[in-house]
Amino acid sequence: MRSWQLTPTSDGDLLSNGGRLNVADIRLLREQFVDFMLGYKFAIDEITTKINILREDFNNTHEYNPIEHVGSRLKSPESVLEKVQRKNYAMNLAAIRENVLDIAGVRVICSFISDIGKIRDMLAGQEDITVLEERDYITNRKPNGYQSLHLIVSIPVFRSDRTDRMPVEIQIRTIAMDFWASLEHKIYYKYRGEVPPNLRSDLAQAAEVATQLDEKMEALHHQVDHTEHTRTSPADSLDLSLLYDSITPNRPAHRLPGGQPA
């Protein structure tokens, strides 16, 4: 989380009750807000850890891993306060906690459309994750062509003196969807939201091409035999003596019942 500075005026800032903030007041506000934001950073860490565990588990037990890439972002304090001001929410931590649910964000990039539902179900099925809101912009694509599955989830964050349930926005999309969204963001940023009609039309066409690509790749995916050799046999009762002998060659060989060497 990048550093953030509050700069009081030389005369102090007016409080709503007519008083003035001094440097100590500003410092205390800053410390409280930084601690507030830290909870969202920890929530991102919790979610990304869960996703990375899934990735490693897929790599270890399956022939195919649906998770291509994981990214995250934490809104800056300035961005959070600007949104509070723009939405006309109360300028306090309780109002921010209740109304601004996209401070912490995690993005999961998948290979295929069918992977999106799998990842969604695996995350939503974890005992400590609660789905607060779900927006399916794949089935119901936005007018500009944007596609993604958005989840707002709640997850416990264990602090040194308390446990807080923190909201995190999780976006799950394919590589093609992410490529289009990245380009669209850059264009809208460059034109400050006032994108020329011809570019908006080209973006809509590009979104359709991306959809067709996803559908074609999905069809190819189904044509390939992805029979997974998952280790499903019970392992708890396995006799590990042979493994022990193989990694300790200088020790006497383990003998099976009857006196025969293993």
Side-chain angles (χ1 to χ4, degrees):
M1 186 167 63
R2 68 185 182 87
S3 60
W4 175 53
Q5 297 294 329
L6 282 172
T7 306
T9 63
S10 57
D11 295 330
D13 295 329
L14 280 174
L15 293 169
S16 59
N17 61 7
R20 289 185 180 275
L21 285 172
N22 58 34
V23 174
D25 294 328
I26 293 291
R27 184 179 295 111
L28 179 60
L29 281 175
R30 179 184 181 279
E31 290 174 354
Q32 291 174 339
F33 199 87
V34 166
D35 182 77
F36 174 77
M37 294 293 293
L38 199 57
Y40 290 92
K41 189 267 185 188
F42 294 152
I44 289 176
D45 293 341
E46 291 279 358
I47 293 293
T48 54
T49 296
K50 288 178 174 293
I51 296 170
N52 286 329
I53 287 173
L54 290 176
R55 290 181 73 183
E56 187 168 347
D57 189 39
F58 269 107
N59 286 333
N60 185 54
T61 60
H62 301 261
E63 291 185 346
Y64 166 65
N65 189 344
I67 302 173
E68 290 284 346
H69 177 69
V70 182
S72 64
R73 66 103 182 93
L74 182 67
K75 278 184 179 292
S76 68
E78 293 88 351
S79 178
V80 173
L81 295 178
E82 286 169 3
K83 183 169 185 176
V84 171
Q85 182 73 18
R86 186 174 68 254
K87 296 290 187 178
N88 201 30
Y89 300 139
M91 193 65 77
N92 59 61
L93 297 183
I96 295 174
R97 185 180 296 107
E98 180 179 355
N99 296 292
V100 186
L101 302 180
D102 62 345
I103 295 175
V106 175
R107 183 172 298 152
V108 184
I109 310 302
C110 302
S111 300
F112 306 102
I113 297 174
S114 58
D115 295 334
I116 295 174
K118 295 176 184 177
I119 299 303
R120 182 261 176 222
D121 292 343
M122 282 188 286
L123 289 174
Q126 298 198 17
E127 293 181 356
D128 55 348
I129 291 181
T130 301
V131 177
L132 304 177
E133 183 180 337
E134 184 168 351
R135 288 168 284 171
D136 186 353
Y137 295 120
I138 300 173
T139 303
N140 304 294
R141 188 191 311 181
K142 284 188 175 183
N144 66 347
Y146 176 83
Q147 295 185 85
S148 186
L149 178 66
H150 289 199
L151 300 175
I152 303 293
V153 304
S154 171
I155 186 169
V157 171
F158 300 95
R159 305 290 295 268
S160 59
D161 58 347
R162 66 189 185 278
T163 300
D164 296 328
R165 288 204 70 92
M166 306 298 298
V168 180
E169 181 185 57
I170 304 175
Q171 299 177 357
I172 313 174
R173 60 178 67 151
T174 65
I175 298 171
M177 293 174 190
D178 189 60
F179 180 46
W180 183 92
S182 177
L183 176 62
E184 188 262 0
H185 178 77
K186 291 175 182 176
I187 291 175
Y188 269 74
Y189 182 81
K190 179 177 181 179
Y191 287 94
R192 301 182 183 275
E194 301 296 328
V195 180
N198 63 310
L199 280 181
R200 288 202 301 269
S201 176
D202 288 344
L203 276 172
Q205 293 179 25
E208 187 59 38
V209 171
T211 299
Q212 293 172 6
L213 175 62
D214 269 335
E215 291 172 350
K216 182 64 176 178
M217 296 302 290
E218 185 75 30
L220 290 171
H221 178 53
H222 283 296
Q223 291 180 38
V224 177
D225 182 11
H226 281 294
T227 303
E228 298 179 344
H229 301 288
T230 306
R231 303 188 186 103
T232 56
S233 59
D236 290 347
S237 60
L238 287 178
D239 186 349
L240 301 178
S241 300
L242 294 176
L243 176 61
Y244 174 74
D245 291 340
S246 70
I247 62 178
T248 55
N250 294 327
R251 293 179 177 272
H254 179 77
R255 294 184 177 275
L256 295 174
Q260 296 299 319

